[in-house]
Amino acid sequence: MPDFKSNTKEVDVLIIGAGPSATVAASILHKKGYTVHIVEKQKFPRFVIGESLLPRCMENFQKANLIETIESHGFQKKFGAMFAKADEYCDFEFANQFTEGWGWTWQVQRADFDKVLAEEVQNRGVTLEYETEVTDVKFENDGSSTTTVKNKDSEYYIKARYIVDSSGYGKVLPRLLNLEKPSNLPPRTSIFCHVKPRQVSESPERKRIIIIVHLDNVWGWVIPFSDGTSSIGMVGDSEEMDNIKGSMEEQMRHWIANVQALRDRFTDSEFIFEPRKIAGYSSDVKQLHGKGYVLTGNASGFLDPIFSSGVTLATESSALAAELIEKELEGEPVDWDLSYTEHIKKGNAVFKAFIEAWYRGDLQKIFFSENRNEKIRKQICSVLAGYVWDQNNPFVTKPERILANLSQVIR
Ligand SMILES: Cc1cc2nc3c(=O)[nH]c(=O)nc-3n(C[C@H](O)[C@H](O)[C@H](O)COP(=O)(O)OP(=O)(O)OC[C@H]3O[C@@H](n4cnc5c(N)ncnc54)[C@H](O)[C@@H]3O)c2cc1C
């Protein structure tokens, strides 16, 4: 246990933030016998967007031994994803995919989900302090560090052999170490909220996530939860989204009235909280690691919400980082560029190719084409399930070329 009595605490690994990226790393490192301490700026439960998971992230929750914990909380199971354009539908079943892997995952209210994971790692012995913020970090030549943290009562120091920055949109180390780099994706804006429909349907199709094509550069989502409420949101070029004026509630009601799939289900529905807006969320960094630290999850950059890749990349990076930290703390040599950066960049590149093809309109053409090839659908389905490291899938090995060619053929 770290010594919490003095003004300086000593731990093996300090983790910044308590989102899923953090708790997956914490669970793996704690199990290996290291002292792990998490500092979290907010008080849980706290809202964060990112509610639709991908089957691939189940492998990371498995490595962290967290599946049973999540399962026991009754979150909505997710078996596929449906894309809708007016009256046309394109449905993907994860069980029917090209890559061997998980055929399902969950749709989760992140306030509950992240709290469940944080409490579980605390029960296992990880120490966690809420409402405590990292304000400064100093590294020694050997990679060990002293971090200044502040809570409402005091300021104190944490000496650590390693730091995992899982601070999400807080981007603590990228800011302190000047590692931020602008994303080369255009600025986009999203408005979203949780709604309680007047009538709750129990039909399985109504429990499926729907991604709605509205305009070429504007799309929306419906993510139903197990308690009958749903998350709804719209995303588009910031310019387009800023054209809609009024209060947050008026803007959200505008989208419900004008987007068929929302109008059908959510006219007159009750908003559970005032709709929120987030803009310019795509981000990048100059490097993913340095001596004594690693960036995981959104702290290492974020692409775009269209394919729900956020939590999958967040847990993939933190599970891998935890394994590599263990090696390094055991004195084994680790080539972080090769074993970490390259792996994370490969996965990101596949999602990025799909994201760009989506906003170009190519993927929509492919999804809604009458000429649907079953093998191609399965290969695409695997990418949508998050299996973006399968070197047997041509949509993973050469995504840009194959998506562009396919959309040309359909044209
Ligand atoms: C519009 C939109 C929709 C999205 N939809 C999806 C989706 O459907 N599925 C999906 O997988 N992803 C989605 N995402 C992405 C998702 O939000 C993130 O990828 C995911 O939450 C990243 O998890 P994380 O653990 O890295 O960070 P987070 O979950 O953000 O956790 C980081 C934590 O760090 C804490 N923190 C910040 N600063 C400090 C500090 N100084 N000191 C201490 N703690 C600090 C924060 O309080 C926070 O609790 C979406 C993103 C957007 C913008």
Side-chain angles (χ1 to χ4, degrees):
M1 277 288 285
D3 170 16
F4 284 97
K5 288 192 199 85
S6 70
N7 199 27
T8 303
K9 309 170 195 316
E10 280 191 37
V11 291
D12 291 319
V13 183
L14 167 66
I15 303 184
I16 311 174
S21 194
T23 43
V24 161
S27 175
I28 294 173
L29 285 162
H30 174 74
K31 189 150 185 252
K32 297 289 180 190
Y34 296 105
T35 49
V36 180
H37 183 61
I38 301 179
V39 287
E40 164 58 53
K41 188 174 167 178
Q42 299 183 62
K43 190 174 169 185
F44 276 24
R46 59 89 178 87
F47 178 85
V48 67
I49 195 67
E51 298 147 330
S52 169
L53 310 185
L54 300 182
R56 180 62 171 80
C57 77
M58 303 297 266
E59 297 189 8
N60 302 320
F61 289 125
Q62 215 166 14
K63 281 184 188 168
N65 194 20
L66 288 165
I67 296 275
E68 265 177 43
T69 305
I70 304 169
E71 177 95 65
S72 67
H73 280 77
F75 292 106
Q76 177 61 49
K77 285 199 170 154
K78 171 183 173 183
F79 296 98
M82 185 189 279
F83 292 80
K85 186 178 178 184
D87 291 326
E88 293 176 84
Y89 293 92
C90 173
D91 200 5
F92 290 94
E93 282 275 352
F94 294 138
N96 194 18
Q97 58 159 307
F98 175 78
T99 307
E100 215 172 285
W102 284 78
W104 63 277
T105 184
W106 286 287
Q107 291 157 187
V108 300
Q109 296 94 326
R110 286 285 302 280
D112 299 338
F113 184 75
D114 290 12
K115 182 166 179 275
V116 162
L117 295 181
E119 284 177 353
E120 179 62 23
V121 298
Q122 279 183 284
N123 289 340
R124 292 180 190 179
V126 170
T127 50
L128 195 164
E129 280 183 287
Y130 292 105
E131 297 182 274
T132 303
E133 192 179 348
V134 167
T135 56
D136 193 27
V137 183
K138 292 219 167 8
F139 287 95
E140 305 298 332
N141 289 338
D142 66 356
S144 64
S145 54
T146 304
T147 298
T148 312
V149 299
K150 224 181 180 167
N151 56 30
K152 58 181 182 328
D153 304 318
S154 61
E155 183 173 83
Y156 65 96
Y157 305 97
I158 300 173
K159 281 183 181 291
R161 295 168 73 194
Y162 225 96
I163 298 182
V164 179
D165 183 1
S166 304
S167 60
Y169 301 100
K171 295 185 260 180
V172 171
L173 289 187
R175 287 194 169 135
L176 289 173
L177 304 179
N178 189 25
L179 302 176
E180 285 185 283
K181 186 169 105 173
S183 162
N184 50 17
L185 291 168
R188 298 197 168 99
T189 295
S190 177
I191 182 165
F192 45 83
C193 74
H194 287 180
V195 291
K196 194 170 176 191
R198 295 263 173 250
Q199 268 192 329
V200 176
S201 165
E202 282 309 320
S203 81
E205 307 86 70
R206 289 262 154 170
K207 295 282 186 181
R208 179 151 292 188
I209 178 175
I210 309 177
I211 297 108
I212 307 153
V213 181
H214 180 56
L215 305 172
D216 282 350
N217 57 356
V218 181
W219 61 274
W221 76 72
V222 177
I223 302 175
F225 299 128
S226 55
D227 65 358
T229 64
S230 290
S231 167
I232 61 172
M234 295 299 297
V235 179
D237 289 354
S238 293
E239 222 171 278
E240 187 80 46
M241 300 298 286
D242 289 345
N243 281 336
I244 313 303
K245 305 288 180 212
S247 68
M248 287 296 154
E249 171 147 3
E250 284 164 342
Q251 291 183 42
M252 200 71 232
R253 295 268 177 219
H254 162 92
W255 289 112
I256 293 175
N258 286 280
V259 177
Q260 185 185 322
L262 297 182
R263 188 169 59 236
D264 290 351
R265 289 166 71 166
F266 301 110
T267 300
D268 296 333
S269 62
E270 182 190 321
F271 289 173
I272 294 168
F273 54 78
E274 190 185 40
R276 299 172 188 220
K277 224 174 189 183
I278 171 167
Y281 36 72
S282 303
S283 65
D284 203 352
V285 289
K286 294 176 195 160
Q287 61 195 56
L288 297 185
H289 65 89
K291 193 132 182 73
Y293 73 87
V294 58
L295 312 180
T296 72
N298 267 40
S300 67
F302 177 65
L303 293 168
D304 188 274
I306 177 67
F307 298 117
S308 303
S309 57
V311 172
T312 297
L313 291 169
T315 53
E316 181 77 16
S317 54
S318 66
L320 178 57
E323 287 164 6
L324 296 173
I325 289 170
E326 189 214 347
K327 277 192 182 172
E328 195 165 315
L329 293 183
E330 289 308 306
E332 283 182 51
V334 175
D335 184 339
W336 281 88
D337 279 340
L338 190 68
S339 306
Y340 186 71
T341 304
E342 209 167 281
H343 179 77
I344 300 306
K345 288 208 160 161
K346 261 190 194 161
N348 261 291
V350 178
F351 277 121
K352 188 152 185 247
F354 268 66
I355 289 163
E356 287 175 337
W358 172 268
Y359 286 102
R360 267 199 318 271
D362 289 353
L363 260 179
Q364 290 147 40
K365 247 179 262 152
I366 296 167
F367 286 174
F368 297 107
S369 155
E370 283 171 9
N371 183 7
R372 295 183 188 179
N373 173 309
E374 198 46 34
K375 187 169 178 199
I376 287 177
R377 276 178 59 80
K378 284 184 174 193
Q379 290 168 339
I380 291 177
C381 183
S382 281
V383 172
L384 301 181
Y387 283 89
V388 290
W389 291 275
D390 176 0
Q391 295 304 304
N392 294 317
N393 185 348
F395 285 86
V396 166
T397 50
K398 37 184 185 306
E400 287 96 354
R401 186 144 40 101
I402 196 162
L403 286 170
N405 287 349
L406 201 54
S407 103
Q408 282 295 325
V409 174
I410 287 165
R411 198 189 305 262

